[in-house]
Structures are given as C-alpha cells and as structure tokens.
Amino acid sequence: NRTVDVLELVCEAVGFIGDNAAALLALRRCSHAWADAVSGAIRRGCHASQHAPVEMATIVAALPTAARLAVVSQAYGAVRGWLRVIPPSVLRSRDPHRMVDDHSRLLSFVPSPTGLHFACNGSALTDAVTGTFSATVRTALECLRVEDTPVPEAFVAQLAALPSLTSVALTGRRTVSDSCMISLANACPLLRALDVSHTEGNVTDVGVLAVARRCPKLQSLNVSDTDGAVTDVSIQEVAQHCPELQHLDVDRTHGSVTDLSILAVADRCRQLERLNAARVASRITDRSMTAIARNCPRLRELQVCATRGCVTDAALAAIASSCPRLTLLRVFSSDGGVTASGIRTVVEACRELRHIDVSFADAAAAPNDALLAVAAHCPLLRRLDVPHIQRSDVRDEGLSAIALACPMLQHLDLSEAGHLSENSLLCVARHCPRLQSLNVSNTMAATDAALGAIAEHCPGLETLDVTSCSCVGDAAL
C-alpha cells in the first residue's frame, strides 16, 4: 500500500506519466495528509456557493487542471465522494479511444455521477462511451448535457439503459438531428427536461412531435434559437400530451410560434411556472398572455420582449391579478404598449419580484416613474435592467430610490442611460454592497469618483462594463 500523492494521480488523470523515476519518487514522498488537505480545500471552495455541494465551483470547473484535481481528490479528505456533477472541462478529448479511457478513469474516482456534461468533443462521443457509463452508472445518471458535439443515433439509443435519466440537453448546430430526437423519445419515455436550443434548424417539428407523443412526463422544454424549424404544430402537440409542463422557452423562433400554440399551453398546462416567449417577431399578443395569466397562477417567470406594441398594459394587469408569485418580468416593448402604469400595476401585486427589465424605447413610457414604483414595492430585487434608454426620462431620482430600497441588488444594467449623473451611481455603491455586475457603458454617470466608490463598497463585483465612458480614467480602473 504505497502512499501516492494526489499530484501523481493528477498526472495520470491528464494522461501524463513521466519517465523520470526520481520525479515520481519525489511526488510519492508527499504525505497522504497533504492530499487530504487539498481535497478539503477544494470542497470548501465549492461549498462556499452551495449548501450541499455536489458540483464544482465555477472557477474550478473552468480550469481543466483544477477540475481534474477535484475529481482525483474524491478519494481523499474527511468527506469523500461528494462530487456528482461532472463539467465538460474534465472530459475534453476529441479522440474516441481517449474519451473511453478518460471516462473509465473518471468513473474510478466518481463511480456514481448524477450529471455529465460534454462540450466541443468532435467525433469522440460514440456508442462505446455510452456503453461505458450505461454499464457502471445505470441507476445514478440523471442529467446528460452535450454541447456542440455531434451525437450519433447509436449513442442516443443506448440511453435506454439508463432508467434514472430524466434530463437531456443536446444543444448546438451540429449536435443533434430529428432522427436522434426520435431515438431519444423511444429510449427515454420518462424524460422530464429537454433542451435543444441553438440547433439552428437541425431539430424541427418532426423531432419535437416524437418527444411530445412519447414523453408525457415532460416538464421543461427549450426550443429557443431553432431557426423557425419548430412551429405551432409541435408546440400544440406538447401542450396536448404533456400536461405537467412547467417551463417553456420559445425565444428566437422567428415568428413560427404564435398565440395559437401559447393559447394551447395556457389551456392544458396549468402548472406552467416559466415562459420565455421573447423575440418571436411580434407573434405573441395580449390574447395569449392574458390566457397564460388566468390559467397559470403558479407563473414565476415571464419574458415577452420586443413585442412591438403587441403586448400592452392589459396583459400586465392580468398578470398582476392572477400571478402573485412572479419573480422575473421582462416585457421590453420597442413600439410602446407597456407603460410605467402597467409596470406599477405588476410590482404592486407581485412583491416577490427579483428581476425586472423596464427597458423602453421612448420617453412616453415614463420609465423613471416605473423605477420609483419598483423601489416602493420590490425590496427583494436582485437584478434590474434599464439599458438603451438615453432619450427617456430615467433620472437620478429613480435610480437612487432603487439603491435605497433594494440593498440586495446584485446585477445592474444602465447602459446608454444618458440622463444619469455620478450621484445616482454613488448612491448605488453606498447602499448595494452585494453588487456583482455593473454595466454603465456609454453613460456620463461613470466617473472616477463613482467607480472609486464602487471599488470601496462592492468587493464582490465580478463584471464591470465601462465601454465608451469618457469620464473614466486610469486612476479609477
């Protein structure tokens, strides 16, 4: 039972075994206790953002070496085997044979993963890979995500050997086709979540129809950015066969999804909680939004952006009347229809709102009044988007009111808000210490003094956009 340092195991995990015997012996002299310490440090880093960590922290998952170290460390430490979700940085190979080897090595450290994520693996995903994990994690794997990697039908067919698999994401232009979707529907009749976003026309009504008819337990469906290939035809079938649907995303479907199918969803899917019908070429109107509001009282997230005036204050009144649990609202209207009065109606009734987009294209919408209403009624606000409104009347008064009333604010987009001064940004800095991202591009509010205050009072800031801010100098940065 030789003592093997975690560093040597990392070398093995990344496929490097040095020829220098002295180097290997030096690695082995490192104590087992040190390996335990590394394992504990990694877990604590992941635990900081999760109550019961089963996946890596984002900063760990983003670095292949750190991610593989997290995998190897599962055999060490006081708490072992806590990792359950494997990010794509662990299984990076584009070679089919290397992928099988890597996957086998992964399973020696994490024998029961509940989630696997592959991304940009070229032709590495074969039926041999699915054969490997279907034989070893048969009852454990619940979620499979494949991104920008071609998925052969043989790969999908073998998913039938995974009875616990209920969530599948096959995203990206070259990832999946209708034939694979049909195989998936046949292999996973208990599927609850399906994401085929960004497939840009490779998944059509044919594939979605197969899933709708074979997977009656479906609760989440994302067909965003499918180049208009998914239409009312298949969405109506989903509504008919999947009454437990809770999440539907038809963003950027090029006008192929309209009121017709959304009305069907409202009629048959009464448990709906999240609807993203943004950027659908104005094919969604007050008619379907009012039906959603009246029939789906559990609704928590609603996005109907770029409606060109087809969604108005009338729809917001219905939302306010029937959906008190709403937490996210985006109703950007580029040609009127939504006003500060409509926003006020919603925020007065929906006190749990955490994310609001009150972007307007013209001053007639009175967005400053909307901000004052949000400040008065939404103390739990985490995210506020008010971009591209340089011709409107958003003023320091509105933004300062938000800062004073919403101390839990984490994300703020003020890009091109031309009438704001540094005073409102100073107020945000002093009263919103949890701020994580700030976009003040092309505004006069961003000055050296304002950014200095942000640096002093918002230590958790991760993202800052000061593009085209002429008042920002080297000192502030």
Side-chain angles (χ1 to χ4, degrees), residues 282-406:
S282 306
R283 303 303 300 276
I284 302 296
T285 71
D286 279 348
R287 185 184 175 204
S288 61
M289 289 300 98
T290 300
I292 287 288
R294 291 174 178 169
N295 294 339
C296 306
R298 297 183 180 182
L299 194 69
R300 298 185 68 84
E301 298 182 8
L302 176 64
Q303 301 183 63
V304 282
C305 310
T307 60
R308 300 179 185 174
C310 294
V311 174
T312 71
D313 286 350
L316 295 191
I319 294 291
S321 175
S322 304
C323 306
R325 299 176 62 192
L326 200 68
T327 60
L328 182 152
L329 177 65
R330 298 185 67 229
V331 288
F332 175 78
S333 178
S334 58
D335 288 311
V338 175
T339 70
S341 176
I343 296 294
R344 185 182 302 109
T345 300
V346 173
V347 300
E348 288 177 354
C350 305
R351 300 300 184 92
E352 296 182 27
L353 277 166
R354 288 168 170 77
H355 179 179
I356 302 177
D357 186 336
V358 289
S359 306
F360 301 92
D362 54 71
N368 197 64
D369 291 344
L371 290 187
L372 293 173
V374 170
H377 300 285
C378 301
L380 300 178
L381 193 67
R382 303 288 199 283
R383 184 183 189 105
L384 179 65
D385 296 300
V386 286
H388 312 301
I389 47 177
Q390 57 196 38
R391 293 183 297 278
S392 71
D393 72 340
V394 169
R395 307 283 175 174
D396 287 342
E397 177 191 12
L399 185 57
S400 295
I402 290 288
L404 291 169
C406 307

Side-chain angles (χ1 to χ4, degrees), residues 9-246:
L9 293 176
V10 170
C11 291
E12 294 176 358
V14 299
F16 171 76
I17 303 296
D19 294 328
N20 190 325
L24 286 178
L25 288 172
L27 287 174
R28 291 174 186 174
R29 290 192 187 100
C30 294
S31 69
H32 198 289
W34 188 84
D36 289 344
V38 171
S39 176
I42 290 175
R43 185 178 183 277
R44 286 192 297 274
C46 296
H47 186 75
S49 58
Q50 306 173 53
H51 293 296
V54 295
E55 56 186 298
M56 302 176 196
T58 303
I59 191 171
V60 175
L63 302 171
T65 301
R68 294 193 174 203
L69 177 60
V71 169
V72 172
S73 70
Q74 296 305 298
Y76 296 91
V79 180
R80 305 183 181 188
W82 55 266
L83 186 64
R84 290 289 183 270
V85 180
I86 308 302
S89 52
V90 173
L91 298 169
R92 300 181 299 143
S93 179
R94 300 173 65 88
D95 176 79
H97 300 294
R98 173 68 185 274
M99 175 60 76
V100 172
D101 291 341
D102 284 353
H103 199 272
S104 298
R105 187 176 293 112
L106 163 69
L107 294 177
S108 69
F109 294 106
V110 187
S112 301
T114 58
L116 287 174
H117 186 176
F118 300 90
C120 304
N121 292 107
S123 59
L125 292 190
T126 64
D127 55 344
V129 176
T130 41
T132 300
F133 62 70
S134 64
T136 54
V137 298
R138 174 180 171 81
T139 60
L141 194 65
E142 300 171 359
C143 177
L144 174 66
R145 184 174 187 86
V146 182
E147 179 182 348
D148 292 320
T149 302
V151 175
E153 287 185 52
F155 179 97
V156 175
Q158 290 211 32
L159 298 180
L162 303 170
S164 297
L165 186 64
T166 56
S167 178
V168 175
L170 305 172
T171 64
R173 184 165 60 90
R174 297 182 177 87
T175 298
V176 67
S177 63
D178 280 337
S179 59
C180 285
M181 292 285 288
I182 294 171
S183 296
L184 176 66
N186 291 327
C188 304
L190 299 180
L191 195 66
R192 292 184 178 274
L194 175 65
D195 182 351
V196 289
S197 59
H198 309 291
T199 49
E200 299 181 7
N202 289 319
V203 171
T204 72
D205 280 337
V206 173
V208 178
L209 282 169
V211 171
R213 292 167 180 168
R214 290 283 298 163
C215 306
K217 297 293 186 181
L218 196 68
Q219 296 179 352
S220 176
L221 176 64
N222 186 343
V223 294
S224 63
D225 200 10
T226 46
D227 243 11
V230 176
T231 73
D232 281 337
V233 173
S234 59
I235 300 302
Q236 287 182 92
E237 288 288 307
V238 170
Q240 179 179 349
H241 295 285
C242 307
E244 297 180 21
L245 193 71
Q246 298 176 12

